[in-house]
Amino acid sequence: METAAAVGGAAATTGLSGCLGGDGGTDGNGEQDFLWWTMRGYIPAETEAIKQTAKGYEDTADENINVSTEVIVWDQVFQEWSASIEGRSMPNVSEMACEHAVDFGNRGAARSNTELFNQYDDWYDTISAWGRFDGEFWGLPWFMELRTSHLNMNLLEKAGVSKPPETWAELIEAGQAVSENTDASGFTTPGAQDFPSGQNMAAFTHQSEGSFYGSSDGQFTVEIDSAASLFAHLWALSLREQWGIIPGGWGSVDSTSGEELYREERTAIAHLPTDLARSLIDPQDGVNQEDKELAEATELTPMPTGPNGERQSFMGGSCLTSFRKEVTTNDTDAKISVGFMNYMTQPETMNKYFPVSAPNFLPVRKGQEEMELFTDNPTKIPDSWLQTRLKQAPNAVRYGITGAGRCAPFLGSIEGSTTGYSTPISGMIGSDDDPRTALRNVGNDIRSMISDADYTDYELQPKKQGPSLDDAPDSVQPWINGDGVPKIYNPYE
């Protein structure tokens, strides 16, 4: 989802400002017909469960409606959004990321759902800011998907490591033991110019007491070229340059390659999306017999604790967004759309499709933790996997949101243009780019895009120099000096 979402974000609303103000499209059935789009088209059992659940809204809605579900996968939905807005044939509700909901709302196509959002006060921290812009909340958070660490305990024990690492220092120690005592690498995280590469770097930066963005006096600030971010990128680069625990050819390792390395038992720890875990143990069918030994040896753990004392990890996910009648096929009353979004996010409703989506789908607020999946696991996924995922959920971070505490229309476009913020780290790994220069260049590109946006009334000045480790937070200084923890690679000494 993240990859396609970011690539298509800039194109998703092309031409939108010129097509509003009409009387709305209709297929002749009036407001009784209700259409929504989901991108859940990759796992048949998940798709079918969501379709059936959505159809159940007909029994709970205040009006006599006919719910239709159309599946449009992520690599097609942006073209469909653009064409459908031009043709005034949008669905009543669509799945998307909140960055896109904010963009649609800013352009006048989507409705805000602030009143519905404010009915609940138990949202996780990052979720509570994900769709917040201009005094309104756009897009109702639906589910999140988090990066967790996959550990091959057989390989770790073969290397003399008896338990999963809980801190960055323990991760490096365990990784070195594996790399030195087995034929496998100790740790794998994507290093190619790939969305997960930048997503993980955003999380590592937060664990270093930094952020890619901030907010001050109503203006966004760009922090991707801050001292904390420089430290986080050098810490990641140290996995190869200083500690030797990353696989060979790291610059070409994307999330797919990382999964292959783990399956082939060529790496002991892989910090990746949980599609990997699901492929090892299906929630209904159980262990994949081809990977039986590996599946039974696999543990999921949160990302080890960083210098800030938190086990934070990057968050993907989806929200539900309703569209104004001026751009939709069906002239359905707004309350029907709001009711549908509320219905789909209730724990008793989510019980119908979360089990077939395990372990990928996670709640977005505390009240949803009470669903059956997490209280009386009905699946064949190990309880420990689900509890690890649930433990990681409140510690989710997202670039552009966690640091600034709010969203903005430009975030979707920027994510696409920077390949998920992976450009600096992939350049450092693959082309020996100077870290300070690489970060400064990306930071200035983002500042320029924000300054040029037609919905911002401020200008961010470019930086002429890159960051310095001298300005890094106190909590990471021991890593810079090698004081009680492994010393990072520092090309500026």
Side-chain angles (χ1 to χ4, degrees):
M1 183 192 103
E2 292 298 333
T3 302
V7 170
T13 50
T14 303
L16 211 150
S17 60
C19 70
L20 302 183
D23 58 1
T26 177
D27 62 3
N29 292 325
E31 62 183 23
Q32 301 305 313
D33 285 329
F34 182 89
L35 173 65
W36 86 289
W37 288 358
T38 179
M39 286 80 239
R40 305 295 106 203
Y42 301 97
I43 302 172
E46 179 181 281
T47 302
E48 185 59 29
I50 289 175
K51 281 184 173 182
Q52 290 182 4
T53 303
K55 196 69 174 174
Y57 180 56
E58 295 177 352
D59 298 327
T60 63
D62 292 335
E63 298 184 30
N64 181 23
I65 61 171
N66 176 38
V67 175
S68 297
T69 300
E70 187 170 348
V71 176
I72 304 177
V73 293
W74 278 107
D75 60 357
Q76 299 172 6
V77 73
F78 299 97
Q79 294 85 349
E80 292 292 332
W81 277 336
S82 182
S84 296
I85 284 181
E86 291 284 2
R88 301 176 184 177
S89 56
M90 288 289 279
N92 300 102
V93 170
S94 180
E95 176 188 352
M96 61 184 64
C98 274
E99 290 86 351
H100 308 123
V102 165
D103 195 7
F104 282 126
N106 181 66
R107 296 170 184 258
R111 298 186 180 103
S112 71
N113 48 262
T114 307
E115 184 175 350
L116 175 58
F117 181 86
N118 288 339
Q119 288 183 19
Y120 306 98
D121 59 4
D122 58 345
W123 302 101
Y124 297 146
D125 285 347
T126 295
I127 291 291
S128 69
W130 192 15
R132 194 177 304 282
F133 174 72
D134 200 23
E136 299 287 346
F137 205 95
W138 306 86
L140 187 74
W142 183 18
F143 67 86
M144 73 163 76
E145 190 282 323
L146 283 171
R147 310 295 176 259
T148 43
S149 295
H150 302 66
L151 280 66
N152 182 332
M153 294 306 299
N154 286 347
L155 269 178
L156 287 169
E157 289 170 6
K158 183 179 180 181
V161 179
S162 61
K163 63 183 183 65
E166 296 187 0
T167 66
W168 279 12
E170 290 181 6
L171 173 64
I172 294 162
E173 183 180 3
Q176 289 177 322
V178 171
S179 296
E180 292 169 3
N181 298 317
T182 75
D183 294 329
S185 64
F187 180 67
T188 296
T189 183
Q193 190 162 327
D194 181 40
F195 281 87
S197 303
Q199 292 164 354
N200 288 340
M201 285 311 311
F204 297 161
T205 299
H206 281 285
Q207 289 186 288
S208 306
E209 294 197 56
S211 176
F212 281 5
Y213 292 91
S215 181
S216 177
D217 298 327
Q219 298 183 4
F220 267 76
T221 59
V222 178
E223 310 293 342
I224 192 171
D225 49 0
S226 68
S229 178
L230 173 62
F231 166 80
H233 281 77
L234 290 176
W235 180 85
L237 195 57
S238 299
L239 298 172
R240 181 184 70 182
E241 301 296 330
Q242 193 81 349
W243 305 314
I245 65 174
I246 213 74
W250 185 27
S252 62
V253 174
D254 57 13
S255 54
T256 301
S257 301
E259 181 173 328
E260 291 173 357
L261 289 170
Y262 188 81
R263 282 183 169 283
E264 295 168 359
E265 300 193 72
R266 293 165 57 195
T267 190
I269 303 174
H271 191 66
L272 294 168
T274 44
D275 292 339
L276 169 56
R278 185 189 173 98
S279 70
L280 296 174
I281 303 179
D282 184 271
Q284 277 72 53
D285 298 334
V287 173
N288 180 348
Q289 293 303 309
E290 294 180 1
D291 300 304
K292 186 175 187 297
E293 184 176 351
L294 177 61
E296 293 176 348
T298 294
E299 287 289 344
L300 296 189
T301 69
M303 180 63 197
T305 303
N308 69 346
E310 299 289 342
R311 304 189 73 165
Q312 292 170 314
S313 181
F314 179 82
M315 179 200 87
S318 284
C319 69
L320 300 176
T321 300
S322 71
F323 286 91
R324 296 182 180 276
K325 65 180 181 180
E326 288 84 0
V327 296
T328 59
T329 294
N330 302 315
D331 185 15
T332 304
D333 192 285
K335 68 179 182 180
I336 297 296
S337 294
V338 171
F340 176 78
M341 295 191 296
N342 195 34
Y343 162 80
M344 288 295 288
T345 55
Q346 294 303 307
E348 57 269 25
T349 307
M350 299 168 91
N351 279 337
K352 300 175 182 178
Y353 57 85
F354 256 57
V356 299
S357 304
N360 294 4
F361 280 20
L362 281 172
V364 290
R365 57 184 182 87
K366 286 294 248 183
Q368 295 172 340
E369 293 179 7
E370 65 192 35
M371 73 179 73
E372 182 185 17
L373 179 61
F374 303 108
T375 59
D376 188 21
N377 178 14
T379 77
K380 295 184 179 180
I381 299 291
D383 290 348
S384 62
W385 286 18
L386 297 177
Q387 292 308 309
T388 287
R389 302 274 292 147
L390 197 61
K391 181 178 179 180
Q392 184 75 81
N395 293 318
V397 299
R398 189 169 176 86
Y399 38 50
I401 307 300
T402 308
R406 61 193 179 98
C407 197
F410 54 73
L411 287 173
S413 298
I414 287 175
E415 287 156 20
S417 68
T418 56
T419 318
Y421 307 96
S422 67
T423 305
I425 190 64
S426 64
M428 296 174 204
I429 294 169
S431 304
D432 294 325
D433 289 353
D434 177 77
R436 288 194 290 207
T437 302
L439 289 170
R440 182 200 62 196
N441 289 345
V442 168
N444 284 339
D445 286 345
I446 295 173
R447 292 184 184 96
S448 177
M449 294 176 72
I450 294 174
S451 298
D452 292 343
D454 58 8
Y455 37 77
T456 57
D457 57 1
Y458 55 90
E459 186 172 340
L460 301 180
Q461 297 301 317
K463 287 186 177 181
K464 296 182 179 180
Q465 295 182 332
S468 169
L469 289 177
D470 293 338
D471 300 321
D474 291 343
S475 64
V476 306
Q477 290 298 328
W479 291 86
I480 297 171
N481 302 319
D483 183 10
V485 292
K487 186 177 180 180
I488 66 166
Y489 166 71
N490 184 355
Y492 304 112
E493 286 185 319

